[in-house]
Coordinates of all heavy atoms in Angstrom, one line a residue:
M1 N -30.0 77.2 47.0 CA -30.9 77.7 48.0 C -30.5 79.2 48.2 O -29.4 79.5 48.3 CB -30.7 76.9 49.3 CG -31.6 77.5 50.4 SD -31.5 76.6 52.0 CE -31.9 75.0 51.5
Q2 N -31.5 80.0 48.1 CA -31.3 81.4 48.3 C -30.9 81.7 49.8 O -31.3 81.0 50.7 CB -32.6 82.2 48.0 CG -32.9 82.4 46.6 CD -34.1 83.3 46.4 OE1 -34.9 83.5 47.3 NE2 -34.1 84.0 45.2
R3 N -30.2 82.8 49.9 CA -29.7 83.2 51.3 C -30.9 83.5 52.2 O -30.8 83.2 53.4 CB -28.7 84.3 51.2 CG -29.4 85.6 50.6 CD -28.4 86.7 50.3 NE -29.1 87.8 49.8 CZ -28.6 89.0 49.7 NH1 -27.4 89.2 50.1 NH2 -29.3 90.0 49.2
T4 N -32.0 84.0 51.7 CA -33.1 84.3 52.5 C -33.7 83.0 53.1 O -34.0 82.9 54.3 CB -34.2 85.0 51.7 OG1 -33.7 86.2 51.1 CG2 -35.5 85.3 52.5
T5 N -33.8 82.0 52.2 CA -34.4 80.7 52.6 C -33.5 80.1 53.7 O -33.9 79.5 54.7 CB -34.6 79.8 51.4 OG1 -35.4 80.5 50.5 CG2 -35.2 78.5 51.8
L6 N -32.2 80.1 53.4 CA -31.2 79.5 54.4 C -31.3 80.2 55.7 O -31.4 79.5 56.8 CB -29.8 79.7 53.8 CG -28.7 79.2 54.8 CD1 -28.8 77.7 55.0 CD2 -27.3 79.5 54.2
M7 N -31.4 81.5 55.8 CA -31.5 82.2 57.0 C -32.8 81.9 57.7 O -32.9 81.8 59.0 CB -31.4 83.8 56.8 CG -30.0 84.2 56.5 SD -28.8 83.8 57.9 CE -29.4 85.0 59.1
K8 N -33.9 81.7 57.0 CA -35.2 81.4 57.6 C -35.1 80.0 58.2 O -35.6 79.7 59.3 CB -36.3 81.4 56.6 CG -36.7 82.9 56.2 CD -37.8 82.9 55.2 CE -38.1 84.3 54.8 NZ -39.1 84.4 53.8
W9 N -34.4 79.0 57.5 CA -34.2 77.7 58.1 C -33.4 77.8 59.4 O -33.8 77.2 60.4 CB -33.5 76.8 57.1 CG -34.4 76.2 56.1 CD1 -34.3 76.3 54.8 CD2 -35.4 75.2 56.3 NE1 -35.2 75.6 54.1 CE2 -36.0 74.9 55.1 CE3 -36.0 74.7 57.5 CZ2 -37.0 74.0 54.9 CZ3 -37.0 73.8 57.3 CH2 -37.6 73.5 56.0
V10 N -32.3 78.6 59.4 CA -31.4 78.7 60.6 C -32.2 79.3 61.7 O -32.2 78.8 62.9 CB -30.2 79.5 60.2 CG1 -29.4 79.9 61.5 CG2 -29.3 78.7 59.2
T11 N -32.8 80.5 61.5 CA -33.5 81.1 62.6 C -34.7 80.4 63.0 O -35.1 80.4 64.2 CB -33.9 82.6 62.2 OG1 -34.7 82.6 61.0 CG2 -32.7 83.5 62.0
G12 N -35.4 79.7 62.1 CA -36.6 78.8 62.5 C -36.2 77.7 63.4 O -36.8 77.4 64.4
V13 N -35.1 77.0 63.1 CA -34.6 75.9 63.9 C -34.2 76.5 65.3 O -34.5 75.9 66.3 CB -33.5 75.1 63.2 CG1 -32.8 74.2 64.2 CG2 -34.0 74.4 62.0
A14 N -33.4 77.6 65.3 CA -33.0 78.2 66.5 C -34.2 78.6 67.4 O -34.2 78.3 68.6 CB -32.1 79.4 66.3
E15 N -35.2 79.2 66.8 CA -36.4 79.5 67.6 C -37.1 78.3 68.1 O -37.6 78.2 69.2 CB -37.4 80.3 66.7 CG -37.0 81.7 66.5 CD -37.1 82.6 67.7 OE1 -37.7 82.2 68.8 OE2 -36.6 83.7 67.7
G16 N -37.1 77.2 67.3 CA -37.7 75.9 67.8 C -37.0 75.4 69.0 O -37.6 74.9 69.9
L17 N -35.7 75.5 69.0 CA -34.9 75.1 70.2 C -35.2 75.9 71.4 O -35.3 75.4 72.5 CB -33.4 75.1 69.8 CG -33.0 74.0 68.8 CD1 -31.5 74.3 68.4 CD2 -33.2 72.6 69.3
L18 N -35.3 77.2 71.2 CA -35.7 78.1 72.3 C -37.1 77.9 72.8 O -37.4 78.2 73.9 CB -35.5 79.6 71.9 CG -34.1 80.0 71.7 CD1 -34.0 81.5 71.2 CD2 -33.2 79.9 72.9
A19 N -37.9 77.3 72.0 CA -39.3 77.1 72.4 C -39.5 75.8 73.2 O -40.6 75.5 73.6 CB -40.2 77.0 71.1
I20 N -38.5 75.0 73.3 CA -38.6 73.8 74.1 C -38.8 74.1 75.6 O -38.0 74.8 76.2 CB -37.3 72.9 74.0 CG1 -37.2 72.4 72.5 CG2 -37.4 71.7 74.9 CD1 -35.8 71.7 72.2
P21 N -39.9 73.7 76.1 CA -40.2 74.1 77.5 C -39.1 73.7 78.5 O -38.5 72.7 78.4 CB -41.5 73.3 77.9 CG -42.1 73.1 76.5 CD -41.0 72.9 75.6
L22 N -38.8 74.6 79.4 CA -37.8 74.5 80.4 C -36.3 74.5 79.8 O -35.5 75.3 80.2 CB -37.9 73.3 81.3 CG -39.2 73.2 82.1 CD1 -39.3 71.9 82.9 CD2 -39.4 74.4 83.0
A23 N -36.1 73.7 78.8 CA -34.7 73.7 78.2 C -34.4 75.0 77.5 O -33.3 75.6 77.7 CB -34.6 72.5 77.2
G24 N -35.3 75.6 76.7 CA -35.1 76.8 76.1 C -34.9 78.0 77.1 O -34.0 78.8 77.0
G25 N -35.8 78.0 78.1 CA -35.7 79.0 79.2 C -34.4 78.9 79.9 O -33.7 79.9 80.3
A26 N -34.0 77.6 80.2 CA -32.7 77.4 80.9 C -31.5 77.9 80.1 O -30.6 78.5 80.6 CB -32.5 75.9 81.3
F27 N -31.6 77.6 78.8 CA -30.5 78.1 77.9 C -30.4 79.6 77.9 O -29.3 80.2 78.0 CB -30.7 77.6 76.5 CG -29.6 78.0 75.6 CD1 -28.3 77.5 75.6 CD2 -29.9 79.0 74.6 CE1 -27.4 78.0 74.8 CE2 -28.9 79.4 73.7 CZ -27.6 78.9 73.8
V28 N -31.6 80.3 77.8 CA -31.6 81.7 77.8 C -31.0 82.3 79.1 O -30.2 83.2 79.1 CB -33.0 82.3 77.5 CG1 -33.1 83.8 77.8 CG2 -33.5 81.9 76.1
L29 N -31.5 81.7 80.2 CA -31.0 82.2 81.5 C -29.5 81.9 81.7 O -28.7 82.7 82.2 CB -31.7 81.5 82.6 CG -33.2 81.9 82.8 CD1 -33.9 81.1 83.9 CD2 -33.2 83.4 83.2
S30 N -29.0 80.7 81.2 CA -27.6 80.4 81.3 C -26.7 81.3 80.5 O -25.5 81.5 80.8 CB -27.3 78.9 80.9 OG -27.4 78.8 79.5
T31 N -27.2 81.9 79.5 CA -26.4 82.9 78.7 C -26.6 84.3 79.1 O -26.1 85.2 78.5 CB -26.8 82.8 77.2 OG1 -28.1 83.2 77.0 CG2 -26.6 81.4 76.6
G32 N -27.4 84.5 80.2 CA -27.6 85.9 80.7 C -28.4 86.7 79.7 O -28.1 87.8 79.5
W33 N -29.3 86.0 79.0 CA -30.2 86.6 78.0 C -29.4 87.0 76.7 O -30.0 87.7 75.8 CB -31.0 87.8 78.5 CG -32.1 87.4 79.5 CD1 -33.3 86.9 79.1 CD2 -32.0 87.3 80.9 NE1 -34.0 86.6 80.2 CE2 -33.2 86.8 81.3 CE3 -31.0 87.5 81.8 CZ2 -33.5 86.5 82.6 CZ3 -31.3 87.3 83.1 CH2 -32.5 86.8 83.6
T34 N -28.2 86.7 76.6 CA -27.4 87.0 75.4 C -28.0 86.2 74.2 O -28.0 86.7 73.0 CB -25.9 86.6 75.5 OG1 -25.4 87.3 76.7 CG2 -25.1 86.9 74.3
A35 N -28.6 85.0 74.4 CA -29.2 84.3 73.3 C -30.3 85.1 72.7 O -30.5 85.0 71.4 CB -29.7 82.9 73.9
L36 N -31.0 85.8 73.5 CA -32.1 86.6 72.9 C -31.6 87.8 72.1 O -32.2 88.1 71.0 CB -33.0 87.1 74.0 CG -33.8 86.1 74.8 CD1 -34.6 86.7 75.9 CD2 -34.7 85.2 73.9
L37 N -30.5 88.4 72.5 CA -29.9 89.4 71.7 C -29.4 88.9 70.4 O -29.6 89.5 69.3 CB -28.7 90.1 72.5 CG -27.9 91.2 71.8 CD1 -28.8 92.3 71.4 CD2 -26.8 91.6 72.6
V38 N -28.7 87.7 70.4 CA -28.2 87.1 69.2 C -29.3 86.8 68.3 O -29.2 87.1 67.0 CB -27.3 85.9 69.5 CG1 -27.0 85.1 68.3 CG2 -26.1 86.2 70.3
M39 N -30.4 86.2 68.8 CA -31.6 85.9 67.9 C -32.2 87.2 67.3 O -32.6 87.2 66.2 CB -32.6 85.1 68.7 CG -32.2 83.7 69.0 SD -31.8 82.8 67.5 CE -33.3 82.8 66.6
F40 N -32.3 88.2 68.1 CA -32.8 89.5 67.6 C -32.0 90.0 66.4 O -32.5 90.4 65.4 CB -32.8 90.6 68.7 CG -33.5 91.8 68.3 CD1 -34.9 92.0 68.4 CD2 -32.8 92.9 67.7 CE1 -35.5 93.2 68.0 CE2 -33.4 94.1 67.3 CZ -34.8 94.2 67.5
I41 N -30.7 89.9 66.6 CA -29.8 90.4 65.5 C -29.9 89.5 64.3 O -30.0 90.0 63.1 CB -28.3 90.4 66.0 CG1 -28.1 91.5 67.0 CG2 -27.3 90.6 64.8 CD1 -26.8 91.5 67.8
L42 N -30.0 88.1 64.5 CA -30.2 87.2 63.3 C -31.5 87.5 62.6 O -31.6 87.4 61.4 CB -30.1 85.8 63.8 CG -28.7 85.3 64.2 CD1 -28.8 83.9 64.8 CD2 -27.8 85.3 62.9
H43 N -32.6 87.7 63.4 CA -33.9 88.0 62.8 C -33.8 89.4 62.0 O -34.4 89.5 60.9 CB -35.0 88.1 63.8 CG -35.4 86.8 64.4 ND1 -35.8 85.8 63.6 CD2 -35.4 86.3 65.6 CE1 -36.1 84.7 64.3 NE2 -35.8 85.0 65.6
A44 N -33.1 90.3 62.5 CA -33.0 91.6 61.8 C -32.2 91.4 60.5 O -32.6 92.0 59.5 CB -32.3 92.7 62.7
I45 N -31.2 90.7 60.5 CA -30.4 90.4 59.3 C -31.3 89.6 58.3 O -31.3 90.0 57.1 CB -29.1 89.6 59.7 CG1 -28.1 90.4 60.4 CG2 -28.5 89.0 58.4 CD1 -27.0 89.7 61.1
T46 N -32.0 88.6 58.8 CA -32.9 87.9 57.9 C -33.9 88.8 57.3 O -34.2 88.6 56.1 CB -33.6 86.7 58.7 OG1 -32.6 85.9 59.3 CG2 -34.5 85.9 57.8
L47 N -34.5 89.7 58.1 CA -35.5 90.6 57.6 C -34.9 91.5 56.5 O -35.5 91.7 55.4 CB -36.1 91.4 58.7 CG -37.2 92.4 58.3 CD1 -38.4 91.7 57.7 CD2 -37.7 93.2 59.5
V48 N -33.8 92.1 56.7 CA -33.1 92.9 55.7 C -32.8 92.2 54.4 O -33.1 92.6 53.3 CB -31.8 93.6 56.3 CG1 -31.0 94.3 55.2 CG2 -32.2 94.6 57.4
I49 N -32.3 91.0 54.6 CA -32.0 90.1 53.4 C -33.2 89.8 52.6 O -33.3 89.9 51.4 CB -31.2 88.9 53.8 CG1 -29.8 89.2 54.3 CG2 -31.1 87.9 52.6 CD1 -29.0 88.0 54.9
S50 N -34.3 89.4 53.4 CA -35.5 89.0 52.7 C -36.2 90.2 52.0 O -36.7 90.1 50.9 CB -36.5 88.4 53.7 OG -36.9 89.3 54.6
I51 N -36.1 91.4 52.6 CA -36.6 92.6 51.9 C -35.8 92.9 50.6 O -36.4 93.2 49.6 CB -36.7 93.8 52.8 CG1 -37.7 93.6 53.9 CG2 -36.9 95.1 52.1 CD1 -37.7 94.6 55.0
K52 N -34.5 92.8 50.7 CA -33.7 93.0 49.5 C -33.9 92.0 48.4 O -33.8 92.3 47.3 CB -32.2 93.0 49.9 CG -31.7 94.2 50.6 CD -30.2 94.2 50.9 CE -29.8 95.5 51.5 NZ -28.4 95.6 51.5
D53 N -34.3 90.7 48.8 CA -34.6 89.7 47.9 C -36.1 89.7 47.5 O -36.6 88.7 46.9 CB -34.3 88.3 48.4 CG -32.8 88.1 48.5 OD1 -32.0 88.9 47.9 OD2 -32.3 87.1 49.2
S54 N -36.8 90.7 47.9 CA -38.3 90.9 47.6 C -39.1 89.7 48.2 O -40.0 89.2 47.5 CB -38.5 91.0 46.1 OG -37.9 92.2 45.6
Q55 N -38.7 89.2 49.4 CA -39.4 88.1 50.0 C -39.6 88.5 51.5 O -38.9 88.1 52.4 CB -38.6 86.8 50.0 CG -38.4 86.3 48.6 CD -37.7 85.0 48.6 OE1 -37.3 84.4 49.6 NE2 -37.4 84.5 47.4
F56 N -40.6 89.4 51.7 CA -40.9 89.9 53.1 C -41.0 88.7 54.0 O -41.6 87.7 53.7 CB -42.2 90.7 53.1 CG -42.5 91.2 54.4 CD1 -41.8 92.3 54.9 CD2 -43.5 90.7 55.1 CE1 -42.1 92.8 56.2 CE2 -43.9 91.2 56.4 CZ -43.1 92.3 56.9
S57 N -40.6 88.9 55.2 CA -40.6 87.8 56.2 C -41.3 88.2 57.5 O -40.7 88.8 58.3 CB -39.1 87.4 56.5 OG -39.1 86.4 57.5
S58 N -42.6 87.8 57.6 CA -43.3 88.1 58.8 C -42.7 87.3 60.0 O -42.8 87.7 61.1 CB -44.8 87.8 58.6 OG -45.0 86.4 58.2
G59 N -42.2 86.1 59.7 CA -41.5 85.3 60.7 C -40.4 86.0 61.4 O -40.2 85.8 62.6
S60 N -39.6 86.8 60.7 CA -38.5 87.5 61.3 C -39.1 88.6 62.2 O -38.5 88.8 63.3 CB -37.7 88.2 60.2 OG -37.0 87.2 59.4
I61 N -40.2 89.2 61.9 CA -40.8 90.2 62.7 C -41.3 89.5 64.0 O -41.0 90.0 65.1 CB -41.9 91.0 62.0 CG1 -41.2 91.8 60.9 CG2 -42.6 91.9 63.0 CD1 -42.2 92.5 60.0
V62 N -42.0 88.4 63.9 CA -42.4 87.7 65.0 C -41.2 87.2 65.9 O -41.3 87.3 67.1 CB -43.3 86.5 64.6 CG1 -43.7 85.6 65.9 CG2 -44.5 86.9 63.9
G63 N -40.2 86.8 65.2 CA -38.9 86.4 66.0 C -38.3 87.6 66.7 O -37.8 87.4 67.8
M64 N -38.3 88.8 66.1 CA -37.8 89.9 66.8 C -38.6 90.3 68.0 O -38.0 90.6 69.1 CB -37.7 91.1 65.8 CG -36.7 90.9 64.7 SD -36.8 92.2 63.4 CE -36.1 93.6 64.2
V65 N -39.9 90.2 67.9 CA -40.8 90.4 69.1 C -40.5 89.3 70.1 O -40.4 89.6 71.3 CB -42.3 90.4 68.6 CG1 -43.2 90.5 69.8 CG2 -42.5 91.6 67.7
A66 N -40.4 88.1 69.7 CA -40.1 87.0 70.6 C -38.8 87.2 71.3 O -38.7 87.0 72.6 CB -40.1 85.6 69.9
S67 N -37.8 87.7 70.6 CA -36.5 88.0 71.3 C -36.6 89.1 72.3 O -35.9 89.1 73.3 CB -35.5 88.3 70.2 OG -35.3 87.2 69.4
F68 N -37.4 90.1 71.9 CA -37.6 91.3 72.8 C -38.3 90.9 74.1 O -38.0 91.3 75.2 CB -38.2 92.4 72.0 CG -38.3 93.7 72.8 CD1 -37.2 94.4 73.0 CD2 -39.5 94.1 73.3 CE1 -37.2 95.6 73.7 CE2 -39.6 95.3 74.0 CZ -38.4 96.1 74.2
L69 N -39.4 90.1 73.9 CA -40.3 89.7 75.0 C -40.0 88.4 75.6 O -40.7 87.9 76.5 CB -41.7 89.8 74.6 CG -42.2 91.2 74.1 CD1 -43.6 91.1 73.6 CD2 -42.1 92.2 75.3
G70 N -38.9 87.7 75.1 CA -38.6 86.3 75.5 C -38.3 86.2 76.9 O -38.3 85.0 77.4
A71 N -38.0 87.2 77.7 CA -37.7 87.1 79.1 C -38.9 86.8 79.9 O -38.8 86.4 81.1 CB -37.0 88.3 79.6
I72 N -40.1 87.1 79.3 CA -41.4 86.8 80.1 C -41.7 85.3 79.8 O -42.0 84.9 78.7 CB -42.5 87.7 79.5 CG1 -42.1 89.2 79.7 CG2 -43.8 87.4 80.2 CD1 -43.0 90.2 79.0
P73 N -41.7 84.5 80.9 CA -41.7 83.1 80.7 C -42.8 82.5 79.8 O -42.4 81.9 78.8 CB -41.9 82.6 82.2 CG -41.3 83.6 83.0 CD -41.5 84.9 82.3
I74 N -44.0 82.6 80.0 CA -45.0 81.9 79.2 C -45.2 82.6 77.9 O -45.2 82.0 76.8 CB -46.4 81.8 79.9 CG1 -46.3 81.1 81.2 CG2 -47.4 81.2 79.0 CD1 -45.8 79.7 81.1
L75 N -45.2 83.9 77.9 CA -45.3 84.7 76.6 C -44.1 84.4 75.7 O -44.3 84.2 74.5 CB -45.4 86.2 76.9 CG -45.5 87.1 75.8 CD1 -46.7 86.8 75.0 CD2 -45.4 88.6 76.2
G76 N -42.9 84.4 76.3 CA -41.7 84.1 75.5 C -41.8 82.7 74.8 O -41.5 82.6 73.6
W77 N -42.3 81.7 75.6 CA -42.4 80.4 75.0 C -43.4 80.4 73.8 O -43.1 79.8 72.7 CB -42.9 79.4 76.1 CG -43.3 78.1 75.5 CD1 -42.5 77.1 75.0 CD2 -44.7 77.7 75.3 NE1 -43.3 76.1 74.6 CE2 -44.6 76.4 74.7 CE3 -45.9 78.2 75.6 CZ2 -45.8 75.6 74.4 CZ3 -47.1 77.5 75.2 CH2 -47.0 76.2 74.7
M78 N -44.5 81.1 74.0 CA -45.5 81.1 72.9 C -45.0 81.9 71.7 O -45.2 81.4 70.6 CB -46.8 81.8 73.4 CG -47.6 81.0 74.4 SD -49.2 81.7 74.8 CE -48.8 83.2 75.6
L79 N -44.3 83.0 71.9 CA -43.7 83.7 70.8 C -42.6 83.0 70.1 O -42.5 83.0 68.8 CB -43.2 85.1 71.3 CG -44.3 86.1 71.7 CD1 -43.7 87.3 72.4 CD2 -45.1 86.5 70.4
H80 N -41.8 82.3 70.8 CA -40.7 81.5 70.2 C -41.3 80.4 69.3 O -40.9 80.1 68.2 CB -39.8 80.9 71.2 CG -38.8 81.9 71.8 ND1 -38.0 82.7 71.1 CD2 -38.6 82.2 73.1 CE1 -37.3 83.5 71.9 NE2 -37.6 83.2 73.1
T81 N -42.4 79.8 69.9 CA -43.1 78.7 69.1 C -43.7 79.3 67.8 O -43.6 78.7 66.8 CB -44.2 78.0 70.0 OG1 -43.6 77.5 71.2 CG2 -44.9 76.9 69.3
A82 N -44.4 80.4 68.0 CA -45.0 81.0 66.8 C -44.0 81.4 65.7 O -44.1 81.2 64.5 CB -45.8 82.2 67.2
A83 N -42.9 82.0 66.2 CA -41.8 82.4 65.3 C -41.2 81.2 64.6 O -41.0 81.2 63.3 CB -40.7 83.2 66.0
A84 N -41.0 80.1 65.3 CA -40.4 78.9 64.7 C -41.4 78.3 63.6 O -40.9 78.0 62.5 CB -40.1 77.9 65.8
L85 N -42.6 78.3 64.0 CA -43.6 77.7 63.0 C -43.7 78.6 61.7 O -43.6 78.0 60.6 CB -45.0 77.6 63.7 CG -45.1 76.5 64.7 CD1 -46.5 76.7 65.4 CD2 -45.0 75.2 64.1
V86 N -43.8 79.9 61.9 CA -43.9 80.8 60.7 C -42.6 80.7 59.9 O -42.7 80.5 58.6 CB -44.2 82.2 61.2 CG1 -44.2 83.2 60.0 CG2 -45.6 82.3 61.8
L87 N -41.5 80.8 60.5 CA -40.2 80.7 59.7 C -40.0 79.4 59.0 O -39.6 79.3 57.9 CB -39.0 81.0 60.7 CG -38.9 82.5 61.1 CD1 -38.0 82.6 62.3 CD2 -38.3 83.3 59.9
L88 N -40.3 78.3 59.7 CA -40.0 77.0 59.1 C -41.1 76.7 58.0 O -40.7 76.1 57.0 CB -40.1 75.9 60.2 CG -38.9 75.9 61.2 CD1 -39.1 74.9 62.3 CD2 -37.6 75.7 60.5
L89 N -42.3 77.1 58.2 CA -43.3 76.9 57.1 C -42.9 77.7 55.9 O -43.0 77.3 54.8 CB -44.7 77.3 57.6 CG -45.3 76.3 58.6 CD1 -46.6 76.8 59.2 CD2 -45.6 74.9 57.9
D90 N -42.5 79.0 56.1 CA -42.1 79.9 55.1 C -40.9 79.3 54.3 O -40.8 79.2 53.1 CB -41.8 81.2 55.6 CG -41.8 82.3 54.5 OD1 -42.2 82.0 53.4 OD2 -41.3 83.4 54.8
A91 N -39.9 78.8 55.1 CA -38.7 78.3 54.5 C -39.0 77.0 53.7 O -38.5 76.8 52.6 CB -37.6 78.0 55.6
G92 N -39.9 76.2 54.2 CA -40.3 75.0 53.5 C -41.0 75.3 52.2 O -40.8 74.6 51.2
Q93 N -41.9 76.3 52.2 CA -42.6 76.6 51.0 C -41.6 77.2 50.0 O -41.7 76.8 48.8 CB -43.6 77.7 51.3 CG -44.8 77.1 52.0 CD -45.8 78.2 52.3 OE1 -45.5 79.4 52.3 NE2 -47.1 77.8 52.7
E94 N -40.6 78.0 50.4 CA -39.7 78.5 49.5 C -38.7 77.4 48.9 O -38.4 77.4 47.7 CB -38.8 79.6 50.1 CG -39.6 80.9 50.4 CD -38.8 81.9 51.1 OE1 -37.6 81.8 51.2 OE2 -39.4 82.9 51.6
T95 N -38.4 76.5 49.8 CA -37.6 75.3 49.3 C -38.3 74.5 48.3 O -37.8 74.1 47.3 CB -37.1 74.5 50.5 OG1 -36.4 75.3 51.4 CG2 -36.3 73.3 50.1
G96 N -39.6 74.3 48.6 CA -40.4 73.5 47.6 C -40.6 74.2 46.3 O -40.5 73.6 45.2
K97 N -40.8 75.5 46.3 CA -40.9 76.3 45.1 C -39.6 76.2 44.3 O -39.6 76.0 43.0 CB -41.2 77.8 45.4 CG -42.6 78.0 45.8 CD -42.7 79.5 46.1 CE -44.0 79.8 46.8 NZ -44.1 81.2 47.2
A98 N -38.5 76.3 45.0 CA -37.2 76.3 44.3 C -36.9 74.9 43.7 O -36.4 74.8 42.5 CB -36.0 76.6 45.3
K99 N -37.3 73.8 44.4 CA -37.2 72.5 43.8 C -38.1 72.3 42.6 O -37.6 71.7 41.6 CB -37.5 71.4 44.9 CG -36.4 71.3 45.9 CD -36.6 70.2 46.8 CE -35.5 70.0 47.8 NZ -35.7 68.9 48.7
R100 N -39.3 72.8 42.7 CA -40.2 72.6 41.5 C -39.7 73.4 40.3 O -39.7 72.9 39.2 CB -41.6 73.1 41.9 CG -42.4 72.1 42.7 CD -43.8 72.5 42.9 NE -44.0 73.7 43.6 CZ -44.1 73.9 44.9 NH1 -43.9 72.8 45.7 NH2 -44.3 75.0 45.5
K101 N -39.1 74.6 40.6 CA -38.6 75.4 39.5 C -37.4 74.7 38.9 O -37.2 74.8 37.7 CB -38.2 76.8 40.1 CG -37.8 77.8 39.0 CD -37.6 79.1 39.6 CE -37.2 80.2 38.6 NZ -36.9 81.5 39.2
A102 N -36.5 74.1 39.7 CA -35.4 73.4 39.2 C -35.7 72.2 38.3 O -35.0 71.8 37.4 CB -34.4 73.0 40.3
N103 N -36.8 71.6 38.7 CA -37.2 70.4 37.9 C -37.9 70.7 36.6 O -38.1 69.8 35.8 CB -38.2 69.5 38.8 CG -37.5 68.8 39.9 OD1 -36.3 68.6 39.8 ND2 -38.2 68.5 41.0
N104 N -38.3 71.9 36.4 CA -39.0 72.3 35.2 C -38.1 72.8 34.1 O -37.0 73.0 34.1 CB -40.1 73.4 35.4 CG -41.3 72.8 36.2 OD1 -41.5 71.6 36.1 ND2 -41.9 73.6 36.9

């Protein structure tokens, strides 16, 4: 598995957890919004890695926006959900391509 795909899986799952209504918000609040800073950094790292691997990641950009605006209750939830979906779908497609390539 490429490092880009692995990072998309990791950040996608983390975004999915942050998108859980009330629980995600409670977690963000309990960390004093540090969780959003950590996610922003992870998305930036994923974006840089994906660009270096010639696999642009729109999910990382959505995730960075979600991390930046995540303190706004309903908007944060929608953005975390969108980032999780985009990242997980992208990671799933890349994993499927890698498996098909390995089988040929």
Side-chain angles (χ1 to χ4, degrees):
M1 179 179 304
Q2 284 188 334
R3 61 188 181 167
T4 302
T5 306
L6 177 62
M7 287 299 291
K8 287 179 183 179
W9 278 117
V10 169
T11 55
V13 168
E15 283 292 349
L17 293 172
L18 290 176
I20 298 171
L22 299 178
F27 178 73
V28 169
L29 289 174
S30 73
T31 64
W33 288 277
T34 303
L36 296 179
L37 176 62
V38 169
M39 286 306 299
F40 186 88
I41 292 167
L42 287 174
H43 287 303
I45 291 168
T46 303
L47 182 61
V48 168
I49 291 170
S50 65
I51 289 171
K52 285 186 177 190
D53 289 347
S54 299
Q55 295 181 5
F56 180 74
S57 176
S58 57
S60 294
I61 293 172
V62 175
M64 290 169 74
V65 172
S67 297
F68 187 73
L69 298 175
I72 302 170
I74 302 299
L75 180 62
W77 169 73
M78 290 188 296
L79 288 169
H80 287 304
T81 302
L85 289 172
V86 173
L87 285 161
L88 292 173
L89 287 172
D90 195 14
Q93 287 177 344
E94 289 178 15
T95 300
K97 286 179 191 176
K99 284 185 179 183
R100 284 189 297 276
K101 189 175 180 181
N103 288 336
N104 288 334

